[in-house]
Structure formats: C-alpha cells, structure tokens
Amino acid sequence: LKQTKNDLLAKEQETIDKGNELSDASRQVQHLTQQLASVQQSLSSLNGDLQEKKDALLAAETSHQLLLQEKKRLDAQLESQAEHVLRLTNTSTELNQQITSLEQNLSKAERAQTRFDIEKTELNEKISSLQLLVQQANSTIDQLQKSIS
C-alpha cells in the first residue's frame, strides 16, 4: 500500500512536471509567434521602403530622359532659327543653363543610384537576416510543437 502511495505520488509529480513543461513550451511558442509576427512586419516594412526607393529612382530616371529629350528638341530648334542672332544668343544661354541643370540632375541621379544600390544591398542583407530569423523561429516552433505532441 505504501509502495502504491509512493507510485501515485511519483505519477502525480510527473504529471505536474509534464504540465509545467507544456506550459513553458506554450509560452515559448507564443513568444516565438510574436517574434515571428514582428519580423514579418519588419520585412514587410523593408519591402515597402525598397519599393519606394525603386519608384523614386524610376521617376528620377524618367525625368532625366525627358530632360535629355528636351535638350535635343531645343538643339534642333536652335539650328532652324539660326538667322535670328539675338534669339539664338538668348536660346543658347537658356540651353547652357539647361545643360548645366541636366548635368546637375545627372550627377544627382548618379548619386541617387549609388545611394539606392547601397541601401538596396543593406536592405537585402537585412531581409536575408530576417528570413534566417524566420526560418529559425519556424524551426523552433516546429520543434516545440513536436515536443508538446
């Protein structure tokens, strides 16, 4: 009878220990799930930032192309109006200003491209790091779920 009582007490303690383990595992799963949601939100935010930067670069490139087309159009107009010397001089001054502006815009676009490439690389590194964290979190969740089962 005493042995049965000791067996029952041991079984009861074992049940309590298993319950505590399950409770701990459940808390770990909940914590990892929250971390996963946070990582996924950060990843989504980074993707949004990257898309905004891509859109800004595309707009800058489009603007640059339009300015180059405008320069060509103005050059053709200048040739066709060569007989108007005063007008030619004024147009030439205007074209020089636009060329300077185009060169400045080109320089800005090149700097923006460089910044974009750096930021893209950094974002890709962050995305890779976050994806690794997500994989690790998923693996840990899977292991915890298996140990709970």
Side-chain angles (χ1 to χ4, degrees):
L1 187 61
K2 191 173 185 181
Q3 180 61 37
T4 303
K5 182 179 178 184
N6 287 341
D7 289 347
L8 287 174
L9 288 175
K11 288 283 186 190
E12 181 180 354
Q13 185 59 46
E14 185 180 324
T15 302
I16 289 170
D17 291 344
K18 290 283 185 191
N20 289 339
E21 287 177 18
L22 284 173
S23 181
D24 288 345
S26 177
R27 280 192 292 277
Q28 286 180 336
V29 167
Q30 183 179 10
H31 178 71
L32 288 172
T33 301
Q34 289 170 347
Q35 283 182 331
L36 178 61
S38 176
V39 166
Q40 288 172 334
Q41 185 177 7
S42 295
L43 185 59
S44 176
S45 176
L46 288 172
N47 281 335
D49 291 347
L50 181 60
Q51 186 59 48
E52 285 178 17
K53 292 193 184 331
K54 285 181 181 178
D55 292 345
L57 180 60
L58 181 60
E61 289 173 351
T62 301
S63 175
H64 177 69
Q65 289 301 319
L66 291 173
L67 288 171
L68 287 175
Q69 290 173 1
E70 180 66 7
K71 181 192 174 297
K72 288 179 183 178
R73 187 188 68 77
L74 289 172
D75 284 344
Q77 180 183 353
L78 178 65
E79 288 178 24
S80 70
Q81 297 178 352
E83 65 274 4
H84 304 288
V85 174
L86 182 57
R87 191 168 176 186
L88 178 62
T89 301
N90 291 339
T91 303
S92 176
T93 300
E94 182 181 320
L95 284 172
N96 285 333
Q97 290 171 350
Q98 289 184 2
I99 289 170
T100 299
S101 177
L102 283 171
E103 290 169 347
Q104 290 170 350
N105 287 342
L106 176 60
S107 178
K108 287 177 186 177
E110 289 170 346
R111 287 192 304 271
Q113 176 69 45
T114 300
R115 282 192 310 272
F116 172 80
D117 290 342
I118 290 169
E119 290 174 1
K120 179 181 174 185
T121 299
E122 291 171 352
L123 286 172
N124 283 336
E125 289 171 358
K126 288 178 183 178
I127 287 169
S128 293
S129 175
L130 288 171
Q131 287 172 336
L132 180 60
L133 285 174
V134 167
Q135 288 173 351
Q136 290 171 347
N138 284 336
S139 175
T140 303
I141 288 170
D142 288 343
Q143 289 174 358
L144 288 171
Q145 288 174 338
K146 286 179 184 175
S147 72
I148 289 172
S149 299

